[in-house]
């Protein structure tokens, strides 16, 4: 896997300019720099090998000069082609829940096995391993090991599928959003709700003062 460089971005834009008349015309060096920086900031999170393919596909399938958003959509198409469908994820979860349920039954067993742990302790460890082995979407759906155990021991699994299929598109969309956000920006966003609360509190204080 190779990281994108600014030189790669220049090559992509040059390639598009060659294939499409008047594509990405800029009036001065500052505009061109802004163009390059914008493309780099959006594409640097993806491997160069994938972006190469996306740019080529966008050029081949477009009658007009492809925009940055078009190239990102091509990348997302490739990602979707290899991600598990909702039905496949549900099948994975059901298989896991059966094994979790069997292990939960063993939590009460106190016989010590060869590794020095009780059967119950080994069963708990196995359940933790099962949670970690789940697809990321399923981990988010279950929230944690306790959530996984709760699902496995629930009597309403037949009704769970509808809730699961309804929730999965939102979970996948959140996952895509997180992929485009840097860790530093993530911390700012997480603090945004608190800041908004503080702003609201300040506003209420102002309203209170105005009534005095």
């Amino acid at each position: 896997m190779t990281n994108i460089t600014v030189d790669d971005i220049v090559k992509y834009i040059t390639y598009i300019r060659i294939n499409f008349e008047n594509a990405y015309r800029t009036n001065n060096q500052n505009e061109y720099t802004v163009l390059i920086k914008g493309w780099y900031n959006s594409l640097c999170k993806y491997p160069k090998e994938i972006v190469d393919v996306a740019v080529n596909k966008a050029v081949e399938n477009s009658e007009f000069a492809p925009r940055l958003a078009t190239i990102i959509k091509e990348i997302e198409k490739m990602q979707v082609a290899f991600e598990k469908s909702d039905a496949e994820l549900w099948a994975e979860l059901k298989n896991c829940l059966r094994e979790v349920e069997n292990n939960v039954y063993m939590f009460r067993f106190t016989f010590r096995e060869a590794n020095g742990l009780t059967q119950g302790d080994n069963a708990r460890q196995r359940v933790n391993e099962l949670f970690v082995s789940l697809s990321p979407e399923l981990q988010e759906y279950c929230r944690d090991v306790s959530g996984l155990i709760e699902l496995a021991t629930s009597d309403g699994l037949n009704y769970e599928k509808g809730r699961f299929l309804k929730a999965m598109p939102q979970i996948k969309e959140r996952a895509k959003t997180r992929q485009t956000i840097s860790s530093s920006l993530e911390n700012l966003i997480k603090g945004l709700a608190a800041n908004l609360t503080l702003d609201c509190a300040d506003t209420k204080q102002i309203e209170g003062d105005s009534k005095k």
Side-chain angles (χ1 to χ4, degrees), residues 2-144:
T2 309
N3 293 331
I4 289 284
T5 66
V6 171
D7 286 342
D8 293 321
I9 300 298
V10 172
K11 290 176 183 177
Y12 296 146
I13 293 176
T14 301
Y15 177 50
I16 293 172
R17 280 177 160 179
I18 291 172
N19 282 275
F20 298 92
E21 187 177 359
N22 296 325
Y24 293 107
R25 295 182 63 181
T26 52
N27 296 317
N28 52 57
Q29 184 61 39
N30 286 338
E31 288 185 2
Y32 186 66
T33 300
V34 171
L35 175 66
I36 298 299
K37 184 178 180 180
W39 276 56
Y40 177 78
N41 288 340
S42 295
L43 296 176
C44 65
K45 61 184 69 70
Y46 303 110
K48 177 181 180 301
E49 293 81 1
I50 292 177
V51 180
D52 286 349
V53 174
V55 171
N56 285 328
K57 283 183 174 292
V59 169
E60 290 171 2
N61 298 326
S62 298
E63 295 183 9
F64 304 98
R67 299 292 183 182
L68 177 59
T70 306
I71 293 168
I72 293 176
K73 284 181 180 178
E74 290 291 344
I75 295 173
E76 291 175 347
K77 286 180 185 177
M78 287 187 276
Q79 290 177 318
V80 170
F82 291 98
E83 73 179 15
K84 293 181 179 179
S85 67
D86 293 351
E88 289 171 331
L89 288 169
W90 174 248
E92 179 187 344
L93 180 60
K94 282 186 66 176
N95 290 335
C96 178
L97 291 177
R98 281 193 288 268
E99 192 167 352
V100 170
E101 185 178 13
N102 291 335
N103 279 277
V104 169
Y105 176 76
M106 297 178 65
F107 282 3
R108 71 191 77 174
F109 296 165
T110 58
F111 177 79
R112 292 198 175 275
E113 297 187 317
N115 63 356
L117 298 177
T118 65
Q119 288 179 321
D121 289 337
N122 281 323
R124 290 184 180 86
Q125 184 173 327
R126 177 57 182 157
V127 169
N128 287 331
E129 293 171 352
L130 286 169
F131 177 79
V132 173
S133 70
L134 286 172
S135 296
E137 299 93 337
L138 296 180
Q139 290 185 20
E140 182 169 346
Y141 182 75
C142 296
R143 301 185 307 279
D144 51 31

